[in-house]
Amino acid sequence: MNALNDSNAMPASQAKIAVVTGAGSGIGRAVAVELLRTGWSVALAGRKPQTLEGTAALVPEAPSLVVRTDVSRPDDVAALFDVTRERFGRLDLLFNNAGTFGPGGVPVEELPYEAWLHVVNTNLNGAFLCAQAAYRQMKEQDPQGGRIINNGSISAHTPRPLSVAYTATKHALTGLTKSLSLDGRPYRIACGQIDIGNAASDMTERMRTGVLQANGETVAEPVMDVADVARTVRHMAELPLEANVEFATVLATAMPYVGRG
């Protein structure tokens, strides 16, 4: 973990403070940019410093901190939240976004254990480690409290074929969200989850060319603008702590989700 960029300082009292994981591309980048453009200070976390720098460069006038982080490594996560606190003074939001599909289209009986473990370590263990660190800081800071938003998936409800590792972790993330939401009540820590379907990004480019369906057919699926997801996350993030969106589902209107299978 390395802090690589610190731009345009702003006193913590003038802005809300967020940590966004997986901020170098896709949904994480879109959410980080939306927050930066609307007055937030954001710690941008991810494994690739150059892509994080690219995110920061999209809103160069906003206060950002680039932190190289592998969320599956406890020491990296601890350092991320330490440097965020040192730089900005507090934490108002964690967008727990970092994740991976893992190897797609692999039957259960052929999925290597190492591939399973990589998905679990990133999607579930990484989300837990970041949520735990954020929870500790939000509980201890003054004023107390903050918000955690977990990036779930349509797969947290209904799986795609041949996606056992990804689907299992996203179902588990729902349990993490519920437990954090319950345990955070005494400390003004709100936790919610956004379940996203077919937001246009590098990870979902395959949707445009064809995706395996439950009936065995391969069909191209519609996608939506990732900016629409980002605006939804910001709405959730900017609610007063007395209000919470526990679960939100945002999807491309015509994607085969309702009635899937």
Side-chain angles (χ1 to χ4, degrees):
M1 190 292 301
N2 289 313
L4 300 173
N5 181 61
D6 183 357
S7 63
N8 298 301
M10 178 185 294
S13 61
Q14 296 183 21
K16 293 287 189 178
I17 313 304
V19 168
V20 177
T21 66
S25 63
I27 292 167
R29 169 173 282 185
V31 168
V33 167
E34 177 72 14
L35 294 174
L36 288 167
R37 284 176 175 167
T38 55
W40 288 70
S41 301
V42 183
L44 308 167
R47 292 183 297 107
K48 298 178 180 179
Q50 63 273 23
T51 63
L52 298 174
E53 294 282 1
T55 299
L58 293 172
V59 197
E61 70 279 9
S64 65
L65 179 69
V66 168
V67 190
R68 184 172 60 196
T69 310
D70 182 339
V71 298
S72 70
R73 297 179 179 272
D75 289 346
D76 275 22
V77 172
L80 165 65
F81 286 87
D82 284 346
V83 74
T84 300
R85 182 175 60 251
E86 290 167 6
R87 170 63 187 86
F88 295 120
R90 63 175 287 110
L91 179 65
D92 298 293
L93 171 68
L94 164 66
F95 182 46
N96 227 346
N97 168 72
T100 180
F101 284 135
V106 179
V108 175
E109 68 275 16
E110 297 177 12
L111 183 69
Y113 177 68
E114 293 75 14
W116 164 272
L117 198 60
H118 174 66
V119 177
V120 171
N121 281 337
T122 302
N123 294 4
L124 180 57
N125 294 344
F128 164 74
L129 289 170
C130 289
Q132 183 183 54
Y135 187 101
R136 286 170 174 160
Q137 183 168 336
M138 291 170 179
K139 181 180 176 180
E140 295 169 1
Q141 66 192 6
D142 183 22
Q144 190 179 59
R147 189 180 306 274
I148 298 168
I149 301 175
N150 293 325
N151 185 352
S153 171
I154 292 295
S155 292
H157 304 269
T158 304
R160 291 185 179 276
L162 306 180
S163 66
V164 63
Y166 183 77
T167 297
T169 58
K170 292 303 183 178
H171 275 67
L173 203 62
T174 298
L176 179 67
T177 298
K178 291 179 178 179
S179 287
L180 290 170
S181 181
L182 178 61
D183 295 345
R185 287 177 183 176
Y187 312 109
R188 301 187 77 243
I189 300 172
C191 185
Q193 181 170 314
I194 183 166
D195 296 324
I196 301 163
N198 289 17
S201 69
D202 291 342
M203 288 182 70
T204 59
E205 186 60 34
R206 62 194 179 98
M207 307 295 180
R208 301 176 189 270
T209 57
V211 188
L212 181 65
Q213 306 294 308
N215 64 1
E217 296 180 1
T218 298
V219 177
E221 295 187 9
V223 298
M224 63 178 169
D225 192 328
V226 71
D228 295 322
V229 175
R231 284 191 292 270
T232 304
V233 172
R234 181 165 71 88
H235 168 70
M236 296 169 70
E238 292 184 343
L239 288 171
L241 290 176
E242 291 73 25
N244 187 40
V245 176
E246 191 79 11
F247 292 96
T249 302
V250 183
L251 69 163
T253 303
M255 71 170 289
Y257 163 58
V258 178
R260 183 189 290 183

